[in-house]
Amino acid sequence: MIILLLTEQRSNYRDTKTEMEQFKGQSRLPKFAVPKRYSIRLKPDLIACKFAGSVAIDLDIVSDTRFIALNAAELAVDAASVSFTHSSKVFKPSKVEIFNEDGVLVLEFGETLPIGLGVLAIGFEGILNDKIKGFFRSTYEHNSEKKNMAATQFEPVDARRCFPCWDEPAWKATFKIILDDVPSELVALSNMPVVEEKVDGHMKTVTYQESPIMSTYLVAIVVGLFDYIEDHTSDGVIVRVYCQVGKADQGKFALDLAVRTLEFYKDYFSMPYSLPKLDMVAIPDFHGAMENYGLVTYQESALLFDEQNSAAANKQMVSTVVAHELAHQWFGNLVTMEWWTHLWLNEGFATWVSYLVTDSLFPEWKVWTQFVDVSAGGLKLDGLEESHPIEVEINHAAEVDEIFDSISYRKGASIIRMLQSYLGAEYFQKSLASYIRKHASSNTITEDLWAALEEISGEPVNKLMNSWTQQMGYPVISVKVKDQKLQFDQTQFYLSGSQGDGQWIVPITLCCGSYDVHKSFLLRDKSESLDLKEFLGCSLAENGCRSASNKNNALYSWIKVNLDQTGFYRVIYSDELLAALRNVIEKKDLSATDRYGILDDSFALSMARQQSFASLLTLLGAYREELDYTVLSNLIAICYKLARIAADAVPELLNLIKQSFISLFQYSAEKLGWEPKPGESHLDSMLRGEILTALAVFGHDPTINEASRRFREFLDNRNTPILPPDIRKAVYVAVMQRVSRSNRWGYESLLRVYREADLSEEKNRIIKSLASCPDPSIVLEVLNLLLSSEVRLQDAARGLSSVSSEGRETALTWLKDNWEHISKTWGSGFVIASFVSAVVSPLASFEKVKEVDEFFKVHPTPSITRTLKQSMERVQINAKWVQSIQGETDLADVLNELAYRKD
């Protein structure tokens, strides 16, 4: 075998080298050759952790060329095996070279290749890596013996790590796959059903049905020891869930969910699922989930549900993740974005529609109320000056990983919801069905979706939506009453407090005094006003409204803008309007989504220093008797952030702030109690754990004492009902609050539970609790544990999400000390970005900005460039917020009112 690179003997080497290098650093492959069909043979060796393979590609040469350029990375190509055959004539390349930085394989031939269809053949070898990308290995235990399985993860640009190919979404082709030398006792899966399985002793060869046309990133292979359970849809599609031996029962919920979801999408899209089978596989080492056509892969906690040991929150996560991945079988797999610039068409839509189907199947979960969390995540990232437009230019494959973020997923989903709300559900559904019929088996850009929506609805969708997809950011709408007119002004919102110059066509919705008195219109300009007398149809006095300038009358009616938070924008109210809203929040006269929106906007405005910290704390008091899960969950998250900022800004008031927050959650904690109530709602089951966790973090001794008592009983009897899954994380966090260098019992006990646990969900609960310890020396031990072999690669960053305020600087030092190992182990992708974001973003001083900047100048890592800039901007925002808070003089009075208020 001759491995790259061949020695060049030709006299015109310098010219050839120059010609070859034209393919370096390009964003896209050249278009002079078009792949039509791949015939792939792979031979995975699960013991040696390597594979060998060959590919024969039916290739249409469409213009004169002496070169063929395709993608390959981390493969040893057998140059002697490479050939192009056209009409029985075999062309051998004179030069074969891989540009590793670009993942491009270039073949140069001595003569111009003939126009028309031929076959490109390439032999190669590769490593079953441990990076969860390309063709990789995952480990599991069977009968106390550690074993390997093989699986693939090709999105976005890693099919090239398994076989040479045109690894771009637009280069769709069919795929014929054969696996050789598979141990006969193992299950071998691919996108399509098995058509032949030949057993030869202890090995077998597995041949699969040829696939329909699809993109390379959707090709999938899994080889391992699995159990499975099976069902089928009404039109005969076989659906299976594969998992480790002995865990089949944990797949029942997802199996039933998948069958019902396929039926839902068949009706919603007016098109049946396009393949004969759908397999869903739980992989021990995996990130999230991947929508491979006909073979969807998941990390175990995203697919499996244990009736005895899984929390209600995990049940909901499994539901939305399965719904998301199955939506891609239509929106992404059947109709595919043309290039990664349009990634949001895949991910934003799948995120939105996953809530649609989950709401249909489980209406009692109120997931559309919870959808405001999705929007809030998009608003949070898009409020940075280092954000990016939904449609972001991708100039190199290395840039793709970083746009799998809250802009593509959360903002994308939010503007889809905003548009559906504006157009109406019926028009929207008909448009999507038309879009899928028209573009099935092809590629699209954003404008194709807008065209379908315009055709059905008659609305100028392209004009309406371009400002939302082609420019980054969003507006904050300023609302005030002046001269019996409601004044609206839009400006671009930045968390930094800077002024942007963006402008949007904004769908404004509002009501006054009642949801029955409502209005909607498009704000096309920077400013617009609404005559309140005309809006209300009568005088202000007759409707109970009072002029905002009449400060002696505090009973004027409330006005809420952005009803149910369907618009992707924030609202800042005048002081008088905000005071009126505080009153109706306390009375529960607003919907949960609107109560959430006012809170979230006020938090962001305070961070941007457009509202005072004291004003935000005063607003929190209106939520003292809040019982809605979504609103309280966000309130808890905000209080965590406020406590961290207060630790830097006003450390002398930190204990008072914690007492204030404990007081804030006492009502809901007493209502929920520790024990699940017969027939209680799914949402109350989720809320109990979050409330108890918050009380523990803020130092509520009775909560910590009760948690410790229950934990001790749990250690003696793991089957005790005293520690149900929904409160386990709360108990684990509470236990860690009492851990220190001199009192290690809780930490060591939790480590023992972690090591004995077989359920990945339970391991994740523990990993996400350990670093909440207030002792920095224990935090350091936890961080080092994350880098050990005891924690799977995809789980390591989870442990950073709960690092205590006291452990923040320890975490930064640890990140710098271990950066070489971290960057080598995780390389690129969202996990390494999560390390940076989780450690850097919570910091709150200009000195730390400088320290981080100087470190990464010495240790440049291109794959985290965008994430690093965003994280450093967050530190600067925090630092400015700290300075602003330090300038407020009335905080102690406000906090005392919040902490000791007697209703």
Side-chain angles (χ1 to χ4, degrees), residues 115-333:
I115 301 294
L117 204 61
V119 177
L120 175 65
I122 304 173
F124 52 90
E125 291 183 347
I127 301 296
L128 290 173
N129 67 73
D130 60 356
K131 309 297 185 189
I132 318 183
K133 59 169 55 181
F135 203 8
F136 69 92
R137 67 183 183 268
S138 176
T139 60
Y140 63 102
E141 282 194 7
H142 181 64
N143 294 334
S144 300
E145 183 182 353
K146 189 174 181 180
K147 293 180 176 291
N148 291 323
M149 66 173 68
T152 55
Q153 169 58 40
F154 290 164
E155 190 179 32
V157 290
D158 291 316
R160 65 192 69 184
R161 286 178 164 79
C162 183
F163 58 94
C165 57
W166 274 255
D167 200 12
E168 297 176 7
W171 298 111
K172 287 191 167 187
T174 61
F175 294 82
K176 179 72 175 179
I177 295 174
I178 299 174
L179 298 182
D180 293 312
D181 289 358
V182 175
S184 56
E185 74 276 11
L186 300 185
V187 174
L189 303 170
S190 189
N191 305 83
M192 300 300 290
V194 174
V195 293
E196 185 179 42
E197 192 169 283
K198 289 184 178 179
V199 178
D200 183 8
H202 297 296
M203 296 293 180
K204 61 184 177 183
T205 296
V206 186
T207 303
Y208 302 91
Q209 182 180 326
E210 187 164 334
S211 78
I213 188 171
M214 65 181 184
S215 303
T216 51
Y217 78 88
L218 296 169
V219 176
I221 295 160
V222 176
V223 179
L225 189 63
F226 295 104
D227 276 347
Y228 74 86
I229 52 176
E230 177 183 309
D231 200 349
H232 58 83
T233 64
S234 61
D235 49 357
V237 175
I238 297 171
V239 183
R240 289 177 175 177
V241 171
Y242 288 85
C243 53
Q244 288 187 59
V245 173
K247 295 186 177 182
D249 282 350
Q250 296 177 27
K252 288 181 178 178
F253 176 70
L255 178 64
D256 176 67
L257 183 71
V259 171
R260 296 166 69 192
T261 299
L262 289 178
E263 300 280 11
F264 178 93
Y265 288 147
K266 178 179 70 174
D267 293 339
Y268 189 78
F269 297 131
S270 299
M271 181 172 288
Y273 174 68
S274 55
L275 299 185
K277 63 93 172 174
L278 173 72
D279 295 330
M280 304 196 299
V281 189
I283 308 293
D285 298 281
F286 203 73
H287 301 307
M290 175 61 207
E291 68 266 21
N292 316 297
Y293 220 169
L295 178 55
V296 185
T297 42
Y298 300 80
Q299 66 184 48
E300 289 189 330
S301 60
L303 184 65
L304 305 182
F305 180 78
D306 184 330
E307 290 289 348
Q308 300 302 314
N309 294 294
S310 289
N314 200 71
K315 189 174 192 176
Q316 184 173 306
M317 182 189 72
V318 170
S319 301
T320 54
V321 171
V322 168
H324 180 110
E325 302 309 325
L326 299 197
H328 279 309
Q329 305 302 307
W330 285 262
F331 228 95
N333 299 6

Side-chain angles (χ1 to χ4, degrees), residues 5 95 106 141 153 155 172 222 281 298 315 345 364 422 499 606 625 658 665 678 820:
L5 174 68
K95 188 173 183 61
V106 182
E141 282 194 7
Q153 169 58 40
E155 190 179 32
K172 287 191 167 187
V222 176
V281 189
Y298 300 80
K315 189 174 192 176
L345 283 176
E364 69 277 12
Y422 177 74
Q499 293 295 313
S606 178
E625 296 186 3
K658 290 182 177 181
F665 299 122
E820 184 177 347

Side-chain angles (χ1 to χ4, degrees), residues 485-704:
K485 288 187 177 181
L486 198 57
Q487 182 72 39
F488 299 87
D489 298 284
Q490 66 159 303
T491 55
Q492 184 165 5
F493 179 76
Y494 283 132
L495 285 164
S496 64
S498 301
Q499 293 295 313
D501 57 4
Q503 185 173 334
W504 290 261
I505 300 176
V506 187
I508 300 291
T509 55
L510 71 148
C511 62
C512 178
S514 165
Y515 283 103
D516 294 331
V517 183
H518 58 86
K519 184 177 179 61
S520 60
F521 66 94
L522 290 177
L523 176 62
R524 299 176 182 272
D525 300 316
K526 286 280 190 181
S527 299
E528 195 164 326
S529 62
L530 179 68
D531 189 301
L532 277 172
K533 292 178 71 172
E534 183 180 321
F535 168 36
L536 295 169
C538 57
S539 73
L540 294 176
E542 288 172 343
N543 279 274
C545 292
R546 300 290 183 265
S547 169
S549 62
N550 184 3
K551 297 183 180 179
N552 293 321
N553 191 340
L555 299 177
Y556 69 92
S557 185
W558 53 271
I559 294 171
K560 172 65 175 67
V561 177
N562 194 11
L563 298 186
D564 286 326
Q565 302 304 114
T566 56
F568 193 78
Y569 54 89
R570 297 199 183 278
V571 181
I572 182 168
Y573 298 93
S574 65
D575 291 343
E576 293 82 2
L577 291 176
L578 184 59
L581 286 171
R582 281 198 298 269
N583 185 44
V584 290
I585 289 169
E586 288 185 336
K587 292 180 177 179
K588 302 289 199 311
D589 287 343
L590 293 179
S591 68
T593 48
D594 283 333
R595 298 198 302 275
Y596 181 111
I598 293 165
L599 173 64
D600 201 65
D601 285 351
S602 293
F603 171 63
L605 290 163
S606 178
M607 188 185 300
R609 308 180 319 283
Q610 294 185 32
Q611 283 185 0
S612 70
F613 193 70
S615 173
L616 175 60
L617 291 174
T618 301
L619 177 65
L620 298 188
Y623 294 85
R624 186 180 300 275
E625 296 186 3
E626 181 63 62
L627 290 172
D628 180 83
Y629 166 75
T630 306
V631 180
L632 268 175
S633 180
N634 191 42
L635 181 63
I636 290 166
I638 285 171
C639 287
Y640 288 152
K641 174 70 174 180
L642 297 183
R644 286 198 299 269
I645 280 293
D648 292 298
V650 282
E652 70 279 5
L653 295 178
L654 183 58
N655 287 336
L656 182 56
I657 283 177
K658 290 182 177 181
Q659 181 57 47
S660 299
F661 295 161
I662 289 170
S663 174
L664 194 57
F665 299 122
Q666 281 293 102
Y667 179 84
S668 53
E670 289 170 5
K671 287 284 186 181
L672 290 167
W674 279 86
E675 301 295 339
K677 297 175 177 60
E680 76 175 6
S681 72
H682 164 85
L683 295 172
D684 280 351
S685 297
M686 293 200 298
L687 180 58
R688 178 177 291 106
E690 292 204 28
I691 289 288
L692 293 173
T693 302
L695 289 174
V697 168
F698 295 132
H700 187 238
D701 285 331
T703 298
I704 296 174

